[in-house]
Amino acid sequence: MRADARRNHGRLLDAARTAFSRHGTDASLEEIARSAGVGIGTLYRHFPNRHALMSAVFEEAVADLLDRSRALLDDPRPCTALVTWLRAVVRHAGEYRGLSRALLSAGQDEASALSRCSNPMRTAGGELLARAQVAGSVRPDVTIGDLLQLTNAIALASEETPSDPALADRLLTLTLRGITADCQDA
């Protein structure tokens, strides 16, 4: 990338982070471009669609979640490690209004630019889940795709109910009780 293109790219990411935090992931792309001091065409040259821009904005947070999953692979309590990571995923999905909805849709669309973030998360979470399943803590029929969809749905429910800050944790606890080996008949 040329120096001016790198600057524009960086300014677009900064403007998008600000807009997403203030207005959610449905923030106006035109306003993001304007805030970055570029035209909408420049935004689309760098990011062909909203999901591509969102993916670029959230790559750092995803990298942190991936680092966290690798660190948790050494935890001697596989189920606790999985739960710790899932709580972090719920927090991440709830950081920006609209992110959880986008992640839910990206989970079904391999062509989405958000799958660039989603696929490594599936791999990382899958390793933690497999350890918990081998330890007998989690039912063998649970998939990481199911868990990621549930965490995004929990974040979405929490986003829709901002008056209840404990909702996400309660819903995750209910979900986790349903995946444990002891609850197979539930």
Side-chain angles (χ1 to χ4, degrees):
M1 235 189 279
R2 295 182 337 243
D4 62 329
R6 278 194 310 275
R7 278 192 305 276
N8 287 342
H9 189 269
R11 288 197 313 247
L12 284 163
L13 287 175
D14 290 342
R17 277 187 201 96
T18 300
F20 290 165
S21 73
R22 287 186 186 153
H23 308 292
T25 58
D26 289 333
S28 163
L29 296 181
E30 289 83 5
E31 183 56 37
I32 290 170
R34 195 172 15 262
S35 294
V38 301
I40 191 69
T42 300
L43 182 144
Y44 282 118
R45 272 193 298 282
H46 287 276
F47 308 102
N49 56 50
R50 182 177 300 276
H51 279 184
L53 178 58
M54 289 170 59
S55 178
V57 166
F58 303 129
E59 279 179 2
E60 186 176 312
V62 169
D64 291 343
L65 286 168
L66 296 175
D67 289 345
R68 180 86 169 128
S69 73
R70 284 187 287 276
L72 288 166
L73 285 172
D74 294 330
D75 191 312
R77 302 157 303 160
C79 191
T80 300
L82 175 64
V83 169
T84 299
W85 189 74
L86 290 173
R87 286 191 196 289
V89 171
V90 169
R91 275 192 306 278
H92 164 66
E95 282 181 20
Y96 296 94
R97 191 175 69 252
L99 177 58
S100 53
R101 185 177 318 281
L103 291 171
L104 277 167
S105 69
Q108 304 302 316
D109 182 7
E110 286 293 318
S112 167
L114 281 175
S115 68
R116 204 169 74 211
C117 293
S118 177
N119 292 337
M121 292 282 289
R122 285 177 183 275
T123 300
E127 292 172 358
L128 291 168
L129 173 60
R131 286 184 67 233
Q133 288 171 322
V134 166
S137 302
V138 175
R139 293 174 14 188
D141 61 331
V142 174
T143 69
I144 193 59
D146 294 340
L147 291 179
L148 290 175
Q149 287 290 84
L150 285 168
T151 57
N152 290 323
I154 289 167
L156 179 60
S158 297
E159 178 182 309
E160 297 296 322
T161 315
S163 61
D164 187 355
L167 180 62
D169 196 57
R170 283 197 322 274
L171 291 175
L172 184 60
T173 299
L174 286 169
T175 299
L176 295 172
R177 286 187 181 143
I179 68 165
T180 59
D182 297 335
C183 296
Q184 286 184 6
D185 297 327

